[in-house]
Amino acid sequence: MKRDPTKGRKTPDHYARKAKTEHYPARSVYKLQEIQKKHNVLKPGNAVLDLGCFPGSWMMFAAETVGRGGKVTGIDLKKVATHMPAQATSLQEDIYEIDREALAGTLGPLDVVLSDMAPDTMGNKFTDAARSFHLAAAALDLALFLLKPGGHFVCKVFQGEDFQNFVNMVKAEFERHKVFKPETCRKDSKETYVIGFSKKESTHVGS
Ligand SMILES: C[S@@+](CC[C@H](N)C(=O)[O-])C[C@H]1O[C@@H](n2cnc3c(N)ncnc32)[C@H](O)[C@@H]1O
């Protein structure tokens, strides 16, 4: 396949063309489709939070999967302009600055928290992985605050020196966990997804 010399990466691939044909705003939708096909995290009627939702392909797929009886809320630094099904809405916010008490009041207890958040990459694999870990840890913290016991968590994190640390953090809070790299991830990408199934009941006595 031809390389685009200006970007140093392959020209739009099969999945990018497929996304365009199927009216999803980004090829990343196929990563969530693979996760869903293999691990069945989303159910009809679910309440879902999608962190790092721009341009909206995960949101759209999640909204289609939960159906009209469900609800999907997306959060991103960037405003989502893609037209969404009625059960999907988005907020333009920074995950590090969000008022989580207010969010909990608005959303109520959630069934699933997804995070496909990624930092703007600098080309330095250590810095990029450290910033990805920081975002993933913030997503986990928010997920633990908002998820019902029994709820699920799906989170992108780049493989780097903190990767196993993050897996252990998820393992401690969920009944079961999996590390999953969808085939649709670009071959040269360090991104991987950590899935926590069934959030444990809070073990903090007196909290
Ligand atoms: C790979 S994109 C997500 C693609 C999306 N899942 C989709 O399918 O359309 C990663 C997103 O994470 C967002 N992001 C990065 N840092 C963030 C932060 N601190 N708060 C909220 N969103 C953030 C970026 O703005 C970017 O849009």
Side-chain angles (χ1 to χ4, degrees):
M1 189 184 273
K2 269 193 195 156
R3 285 190 172 274
D4 175 348
T6 60
K7 298 232 165 73
R9 84 164 26 158
K10 286 175 181 170
T11 50
D13 64 6
H14 167 75
Y15 290 108
R17 287 194 297 274
K18 186 168 151 75
K20 203 166 181 187
T21 313
E22 296 180 353
H23 306 290
Y24 289 107
R27 73 192 289 290
S28 47
V29 68
Y30 301 111
K31 300 174 200 168
L32 183 59
Q33 283 191 5
E34 268 188 66
I35 292 167
Q36 175 65 7
K37 193 166 171 200
K38 183 116 183 147
H39 298 294
N40 197 29
V41 285
L42 299 164
K43 311 270 182 333
N46 275 177
V48 179
L49 179 63
D50 176 19
L51 301 172
C53 64
F54 178 90
S57 65
W58 277 35
M59 255 184 99
M60 198 180 275
F61 177 71
E64 289 160 2
T65 307
V66 302
R68 294 299 287 263
K71 186 170 161 42
V72 179
T73 306
I75 294 179
D76 202 289
L77 296 169
K78 298 178 211 155
K79 190 172 169 56
V80 174
T82 310
H83 182 73
M84 289 287 158
Q87 63 274 26
T89 50
S90 60
L91 306 167
Q92 191 177 2
E93 297 263 11
D94 185 336
I95 182 84
Y96 292 125
E97 287 172 14
I98 203 144
D99 178 345
R100 61 187 203 165
E101 309 277 348
L103 195 63
T106 313
L107 303 182
L110 298 174
D111 298 294
V112 180
V113 174
L114 307 171
S115 174
D116 194 29
M117 286 192 295
D120 283 335
T121 49
M122 320 280 283
N124 176 318
K125 65 181 181 179
F126 298 105
T127 314
D128 291 346
R131 294 172 73 215
S132 165
F133 170 72
H134 205 240
L135 277 173
L140 175 61
D141 192 46
L142 190 59
L144 293 175
F145 189 70
L146 296 172
L147 279 174
K148 296 173 183 169
H152 307 316
F153 176 57
V154 176
C155 188
K156 171 152 82 189
V157 62
F158 294 175
Q159 279 174 311
E161 61 180 16
D162 291 314
F163 179 74
Q164 195 53 47
N165 187 10
F166 184 67
V167 174
N168 291 340
M169 286 158 69
V170 172
K171 186 177 172 186
E173 303 288 351
F174 291 82
E175 297 292 347
R176 203 162 57 80
H177 77 285
K178 272 269 176 241
V179 173
F180 183 67
K181 178 143 184 149
E183 289 189 359
T184 11
C185 288
R186 293 181 199 277
K187 295 284 173 282
D188 55 356
S189 163
K190 291 271 178 221
E191 68 182 18
T192 304
Y193 293 83
V194 180
I195 309 173
F197 300 94
S198 207
K199 192 190 96 167
K200 292 178 184 170
E201 296 277 352
S202 174
T203 50
H204 305 288
V205 179
S207 63

